[in-house]
Amino acid sequence: MDVKFSDSVKELIGERGLKIDDVIDIINTAESSNRKLNDGSKNLAKKRIGEVTIYAVYDDNGNVETAYSHRMVLGEIQKTTDEPDPTNWVCVSCNEKAVIGTVLMTYMGVTRSGPAVVCEKCGDAWIEEYLATKTIAAAEGLFEKKKA
Amino acid sequence: MGYEELFPPYDMEWHAHSTRRFANPFVDNKYDRVDVDPVMLSHAAVACGYTIRDFYEKPELGIHCLAHIYQLYDLLPVTHWFYASPWLADLGCKMVYKDTLPPIPESEILHEPGDVDALHVPSPEELYDGWTYSQYKRLYAYVQKNIPQTFVPISYGFDPVGEAAALCGVENFIMWTFVEQDAAHKLLEKFTQTAINGALCTAKDFGSAMLVVASVLANNDIFSDEAIREYSVKYMREYIDKSFRGGAGPQIFYHCCGNHETSYKEFQNLIWSPFTVLHIGYKGPEAFPSDLLVQEYGNKATCMGSVDTKLLINPNPKVVYDASAKQIIAGRDAPRGYILGTACECPPYSLPGNILAMTRAAKDYGTYGKW
């Protein structure tokens, strides 16, 4: 896939301390493995690179809309709600509707629970941008402060 | 003279110790002992010689009393201030101050199910300078200036069912849940969205916001498990989800006081964050057993156990000590930490000897490495 970035997206990626090459790698890996979410118009792909999980949101023509990251390591899905909230995302690998679920999250040796978009069939989990850049980022900051 | 001049200097040595202890349940530390949080509000003002009304009418005084009294009882290093009816004034209620109660609405403002349609949900911009959030702006500015080490930005959705009922009358609301269900849901939706907009104000100002949301009126003394799921848990969930989307969180305090004899299982349907505390008040007439709390929720949240609040006004600290010890022993091995609380707010005229009995039990039975 020919991955393309607007100037504003390049700037955003830089501000978030991410590398363009990593984002390209994530998209190419997702396209070759089909391990991604799709909502009919855009894709959400992710890859753990070093100490961070990096996400890319892009359309079928390779235009990158945004990229972001978190440091927590996502683990198993936890069974919580009996009636999970649906999302617009479909797990492409499983052709299964993804839902809002709960997953284990580990950071600095501490494992807790947190919300994520999950595929209940394959057990994979993704964090959406609003959570990664705000709530989860704040949680990582709190872990660092409380562990200090 | 500012309220800060009424208090001696805050004990920073105690604060450092308490802060390290307070981190225990959230990051798997084992420092000192299990924490005690008797859900203190106006008791702090009473203990400093002021009144219940002072606590609510003068938030800066109230929160400074809390910071001061927490040191006396060796409690938490963080402060909070609130009353049980946030956002109602912004929705049109006239709030009145009482000598022995938090501020309450003078009367209900919705009388018929059709009135709900006309209820205006204030936008975040409207709320920002409204009755409720203006108090928090003033209060948080005071805390940041005078006792900044205790500051946590908190936003209160509190009890969506209770607030909805306050807007239309408790009897009306309960009846609507049977015969006017659309109106009941619409009212809950409107209150919840207002509370979410309030949380967004806090998140905008401070970059995060601990979220406090409750299921109090929605308990098994009044509602079935199914009704609690439909009318309470659903909106608690919506409050957290939409507040997170606006940058609030990551801390959540779920306060489920009242009798949750069988409805405690419904809280499985809530949203969990890495910093969640779940507190359940009663199972039938008894304080909710900590072993059951840990069994059901210990792998999802920090568990906050309960000592029956009624015990705190009886002149018998040994009974409080024994009840505290029993709960601590049952809860202290919770995988994500345990806090000893009271089933609901400790009464304003709680006897100091009884609160001291709780911390003494925490030392005797909750000191890490001693069991």
Side-chain angles (χ1 to χ4, degrees), chain A residues 72 78-83 85 102 104 110-115 130-131 134-135 138-139 142-143 146-147, chain B residues 22-23 25-29 229 237 241 244-248 250-251 268-269 271-275 299-300 336:
Chain A
M72 289 200 189
Q78 279 189 298
K79 170 73 179 155
T80 51
T81 180
D82 302 331
E83 300 162 2
D85 293 332
T102 302
L104 295 177
V110 180
T111 299
R112 291 293 183 268
S113 305
Y130 75 91
L131 270 177
K134 293 174 179 170
T135 309
L142 273 178
F143 274 123
K146 287 183 182 293
K147 281 291 257 185
Chain B
F22 186 53
F26 305 107
V27 292
D28 296 343
N29 285 349
R229 174 187 290 215
R237 190 176 163 84
D241 179 47
F244 275 6
R245 288 174 190 275
Q251 310 101 312
Q268 294 285 358
N269 293 291
I271 290 174
W272 309 95
S273 86
F275 291 89
N299 70 343
K300 297 187 181 72
R336 294 182 184 181

Side-chain angles (χ1 to χ4, degrees), chain B residues 42-153:
Chain B
S42 62
H43 170 74
V46 171
C48 288
Y50 302 101
T51 65
I52 299 169
R53 184 176 180 135
D54 285 333
F55 182 84
Y56 295 107
E57 211 163 29
K58 301 163 186 165
E60 298 94 332
L61 172 66
I63 207 161
H64 212 138
C65 288
L66 201 70
H68 185 57
I69 292 301
Y70 271 6
Q71 298 168 74
L72 173 69
Y73 296 125
D74 197 11
L75 303 176
L76 308 182
V78 292
T79 47
H80 62 107
W81 176 92
F82 101 116
Y83 50 94
S85 308
W87 317 116
L88 294 190
D90 306 275
L91 285 164
C93 292
K94 180 175 189 284
M95 304 300 288
V96 292
Y97 286 96
K98 300 278 187 183
D99 287 338
T100 56
L101 292 171
I104 56 171
E106 188 174 56
S107 62
E108 59 266 28
I109 58 169
L110 307 172
H111 305 286
E112 302 291 337
D115 294 346
V116 178
D117 288 329
L119 188 67
H120 171 65
V121 175
S123 66
E125 294 73 25
E126 289 171 308
L127 281 180
Y128 195 78
D129 293 317
W131 198 82
T132 303
Y133 196 67
S134 290
Q135 291 184 76
Y136 281 101
K137 280 191 285 189
R138 218 178 69 215
L139 177 68
Y140 288 162
Y142 175 88
V143 174
Q144 288 182 300
K145 181 179 175 197
N146 295 294
I147 37 176
Q149 61 280 0
T150 73
F151 178 60
V152 179

Side-chain angles (χ1 to χ4, degrees), chain A residues 134-135 138-139 142 145-146, chain B residues 22 25-26 37 39-41 63 66 70 76-82 86-87 133 136 140 150-158 195-214 236 239-244 246-255 271 273-279 301-302 304 339:
Chain A
K134 293 174 179 170
T135 309
L142 273 178
K145 187 176 166 189
K146 287 183 182 293
Chain B
F22 186 53
F26 305 107
D37 178 4
V39 197
M40 190 180 292
L41 291 168
I63 207 161
L66 201 70
Y70 271 6
L76 308 182
V78 292
T79 47
H80 62 107
W81 176 92
F82 101 116
W87 317 116
Y133 196 67
Y136 281 101
Y140 288 162
T150 73
F151 178 60
V152 179
I154 305 176
S155 194
Y156 297 88
F158 205 56
I196 292 162
N197 290 346
L200 303 193
C201 291
T202 308
K204 177 179 166 232
D205 277 351
F206 301 102
S208 68
M210 178 177 168
L211 300 169
V212 178
V213 64
M236 293 166 79
Y239 173 70
I240 297 297
D241 179 47
K242 291 188 175 172
S243 296
F244 275 6
Q251 310 101 312
I252 303 171
F253 180 57
Y254 288 125
H255 174 67
I271 290 174
S273 86
F275 291 89
T276 302
V277 177
L278 176 69
H279 178 215
T302 296
M304 185 156 144
I339 297 167

